[in-house]
């Protein structure tokens, strides 16, 4: 379901909160949040950055700022494709420059949460999106707006 919603959306912003919550903000009021590992891998193997390194110095002149480094690469980029690994729940958001990967680090906790207009909430778990009423709250009008031809609640 997130594939249909986020494909062709533009990334507007990226933030890391003090509690390591990573949030991608997209066009049309959508945001994808996770406490899982987030990394970016460039298409030409020229870039590899990871959320676990945020704030660490590793003998460099200054600490790594994953938030700013990732923003420079992905801001205003369009999501060209999305793949979800059915065994692990890992999410790949493919851009022209490379892929943003959300690496699931728990079998029990949710991998990500997608929020959007009309109180849309989708919670992703290992290998699937659980469609229980408390996890996906979407009205019929929102479904028709988000996914043409859909009439599911």
């Amino acid at each position: 379901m997130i594939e249909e919603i986020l494909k062709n959306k533009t990334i507007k912003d990226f933030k890391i909160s003090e509690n390591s919550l990573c949030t991608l903000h997209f066009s049309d009021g959508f945001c994808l949040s996770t406490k899982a590992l987030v990394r970016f891998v460039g298409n030409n193997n020229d870039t590899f950055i990871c959320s676990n390194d945020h704030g660490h110095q590793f003998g460099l002149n200054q600490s790594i700022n994953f938030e700013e480094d990732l923003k420079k690469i992905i801001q205003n980029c369009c999501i060209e494709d999305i793949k979800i690994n059915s065994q692990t729940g890992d999410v790949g958001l493919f851009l022209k420059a490379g892929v943003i990967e959300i690496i699931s680090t728990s079998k029990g906790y949710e991998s990500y949460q997608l929020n959007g207009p009309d109180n849309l909430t989708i919670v992703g778990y290992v290998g699937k999106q659980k469609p229980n009423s408390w996890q996906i709250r979407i009205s019929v009008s929102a479904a028709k707006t988000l996914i043409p031809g859909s009439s599911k609640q």
Side-chain angles (χ1 to χ4, degrees):
M1 178 175 264
I2 71 163
E3 299 92 337
E4 294 89 357
I5 294 171
L6 292 181
K7 190 168 183 176
N8 298 318
K9 295 278 187 264
T10 301
I11 299 170
K12 293 299 183 186
D13 201 6
F14 175 76
K15 298 278 185 199
I16 299 179
S17 67
E18 288 183 24
N19 63 0
S20 300
L21 180 71
C22 294
T23 305
L24 286 157
H25 297 269
F26 298 92
S27 54
D28 301 331
F30 293 92
C31 62
L32 183 65
S33 300
T34 185
K35 281 195 169 187
L37 176 72
V38 176
R39 64 185 184 191
F40 178 84
V41 181
N43 284 337
N44 300 321
N45 295 323
D46 57 353
T47 307
F48 175 79
I49 55 176
C50 180
S51 61
N52 277 358
D53 295 339
H54 184 72
H56 295 283
Q57 195 161 346
F58 298 118
L60 302 170
N61 292 333
Q62 60 187 14
S63 297
I64 293 172
N65 189 330
F66 179 72
E67 179 179 83
E68 290 303 317
D69 293 345
L70 187 60
K71 260 195 242 190
K72 288 176 192 173
I73 298 168
I74 67 169
Q75 200 162 26
N76 295 315
C77 288
C78 181
I79 302 296
E80 295 182 346
D81 197 14
I82 299 165
K83 296 198 187 310
I84 299 176
N85 183 308
S86 62
Q87 287 187 297
T88 64
D90 296 350
V91 177
L93 304 172
F94 292 83
L95 319 169
K96 280 188 180 167
V99 59
I100 300 167
E101 297 175 324
I102 298 172
I103 308 298
S104 182
T105 56
S106 171
K107 184 175 181 177
Y109 290 105
E110 57 269 5
S111 301
Y112 61 85
Q113 182 168 318
L114 176 68
N115 295 98
D118 298 319
N119 296 317
L120 172 72
T121 300
I122 297 173
V123 178
Y125 288 82
V126 173
K128 60 186 171 229
Q129 298 148 18
K130 286 193 172 182
N132 294 336
S133 59
W134 66 271
Q135 293 163 327
I136 296 179
R137 295 183 298 272
I138 182 169
S139 67
V140 173
S141 62
K144 289 179 183 174
T145 301
L146 297 171
I147 307 167
S150 175
S151 61
K152 295 183 180 185
Q153 277 187 302

